[in-house]
Amino acid sequence: MRFLHTSDWHLGRSFHRVNMLDAQADFVAHLVATARERSVDAVVVSGDVYDRAVPPLAAVELYDDALHRLAELGVPTVMISGNHDSARRLGVGAGLIGRAGIHLRTQPSRCGEPIVLPDTHGDVAFYGLPYLEPALVKDEFGVAKAGHEQVLAAAMERVRADLAARPAGTRSVVLAHAFVTGGAPSDSERDITVGGVSAVPSGVFDGVDYVALGHLHGSQVISDRVRYSGSPLPYSFSEADHRKSMWLVDLDAEGAVTAERLDCPVPRPLARLRGDLEDLLDDPALARHEDAWVEATLTDAIRPDDPMARLGERFPHTLSLLFDPRRTDDEEPDASYAERLKGRDDHEIAEDFVTHVRGAGPDESERAVLRAAFDAVRTDDVAREVAR
C-alpha cells in the first residue's frame, strides 16, 4: 500500500500581508500530480484543512477543486478535521462525498470505524481520529479526566478493539491531529494546552503500523512509524529553517514502513536577518536573500529613519520589521516589556502578575485555579467556534 501523508493545509491563511491562495493552489496541483506520477493508492490529510472554522469562499472553492481532482484521479482520500477546522462544517455531506472516494472523519464517535482499502497483500484499515478537544469529548469516551492523553488513549482503545476483530494480517494506519512528545512546535500553531499540558506520549499510538500526524508545522520523525508531514507552506518566520514536504509511505505485506520525503513547491524562501541597518544593506553575503520573504531585526542603538523603505530597496519582499537595539554600558539594564514576555505563555504571565501585585507568587492551589480559568476560556472559545 502506497500513500501520501500530508496535513495542515490551512486554506485561506495569509503569510503576514501576503495572500497565500495562489501558493495553496500550486500545492494542490503538486499533490494531484504527485499522486498520479507516483501511482499512490491513497492520500491522507491529517487535519487543519482550513485555517478557521468559517473559511472564506475562495478557500472553500479551492478545497472543492482539490476533492474533485483527487476523485477524478480515482485515488481514495482520507481526511480528518483539525483544531482550526469546524468539524461539523467540514463533515457536511460526508456520506455522499464518501461515494466518490473522499472519506471524511470528523466525528469522534467514529474513531473505531476505519476506511478499509485493499491491495495485493490484503486489507489496510485507515482510522481517522479528528482533533479531540478534551472538554468537549470526555463524555463520548467516558474518561474521568479531560486531558489530551486520556481522550486519545480512549480513542485508540476503540481502534485496537476494531483491529483485533479483523482478519489476521490486516495492516493499519491512524490519522491524528495532536501534539506528540518529541515534536518541535513553531510560532504558527494554535495553543491546545489543557491543564498545563499540551503533548501526549507517542506510546498512546502503539499497536498500529503507521501514524500520520498533523498539527505541528515542521516535518518530523517521532519514530519510524510515527511522523508529522508538516504544513506544505510556511505560515510564520519561525519556519524559516523548515523544509516543506510530504511523506510518500509504503507499507509492505507485513506492515513494515518505508517513507520518502517529497518536497513541496514554496513561492519564496524565508530569511531572518539581524544587525544594524547599514550592515544589512551593505553586506554582500546577504545577496542570496534578496528575493526571499524577509524578517529583519534591527539592532541599531538609535532607531534609523525610514527603515522599512530603505530595507525594501535591497530586500523588496521584507514583510516584518523588528527592533532590538543594542545597549550601551550606561543604559538602564531592565528589559523591555516585550522582552520580558517573550517565550512565556498566558499562564506564566498571569503568575508573574500575581507576584508583582502582592510580592509573592501563587501557591499550588492558586496555580490550579489559574489553569482552570485559562482552560475554561479556551474551551469556551472552541465551543463557540464549533457552533458557528
Side-chain angles (χ1 to χ4, degrees), residues 39-265:
S39 301
V40 304
D41 302 301
V43 171
V44 302
V45 186
S46 298
D48 281 355
V49 178
Y50 291 122
D51 188 56
R52 57 181 186 264
V54 184
L57 179 59
V60 177
E61 291 173 340
L62 179 55
Y63 167 75
D64 180 66
D65 178 62
L67 298 194
H68 274 86
R69 295 172 72 174
L70 288 167
E72 289 170 1
L73 197 60
V75 176
T77 299
V78 184
M79 184 178 292
I80 63 173
S81 50
N83 61 303
H84 279 251
D85 299 308
S86 166
R88 291 172 62 186
R89 288 177 181 272
L90 190 66
V92 169
L96 287 173
I97 295 172
R99 296 180 186 178
I102 308 295
H103 306 281
L104 303 176
R105 285 293 184 264
T106 63
Q107 299 176 8
S109 60
R110 302 189 68 189
C111 286
E113 301 176 22
I115 297 93
V116 179
L117 302 178
D119 67 6
T120 55
H121 303 297
D123 289 341
V124 179
F126 288 80
Y127 296 89
L129 278 56
Y131 172 68
L132 303 174
E133 177 59 47
L136 302 183
V137 303
K138 64 183 180 66
D139 293 337
E140 165 66 31
F141 292 106
V143 298
K145 182 179 179 181
H148 289 293
E149 182 175 356
Q150 289 75 20
V151 296
L152 271 171
M156 283 301 300
E157 286 179 5
R158 296 187 183 183
V159 169
R160 284 186 281 266
D162 180 85
L163 190 57
R166 295 188 176 275
T170 300
R171 290 153 293 156
S172 54
V173 176
V174 165
L175 288 71
H177 197 85
F179 186 173
V180 175
T181 302
S186 60
D187 293 343
S188 51
E189 298 112 11
R190 183 181 294 171
D191 181 34
I192 59 171
T193 300
V194 174
V197 179
S198 58
V200 301
S202 60
V204 165
F205 299 104
D206 286 350
V208 297
D209 294 309
Y210 186 80
V211 182
L213 292 173
H215 180 59
L216 300 184
H217 289 182
S219 179
Q220 300 169 64
V221 179
I222 306 300
S223 72
D224 284 345
R225 297 183 181 275
V226 181
R227 298 170 185 255
Y228 282 100
S229 67
S231 61
L233 292 165
Y235 294 114
S236 75
F237 276 103
S238 64
E239 301 170 51
D241 294 331
H242 288 190
R243 173 186 162 196
K244 295 304 180 181
S245 57
M246 52 189 172
W247 290 108
L248 179 67
V249 181
D250 285 293
L251 282 184
D252 71 10
E254 306 301 322
V257 172
T258 303
E260 179 184 354
R261 195 171 171 189
L262 305 180
D263 291 331
C264 294

Side-chain angles (χ1 to χ4, degrees), residues 360-383:
D363 60 26
E364 190 52 46
S365 63
E366 291 168 331
R367 289 190 182 95
V369 171
L370 285 172
R371 279 195 297 269
F374 280 113
D375 288 350
V377 170
R378 195 186 63 79
T379 301
D380 183 63
D381 287 344
V382 172

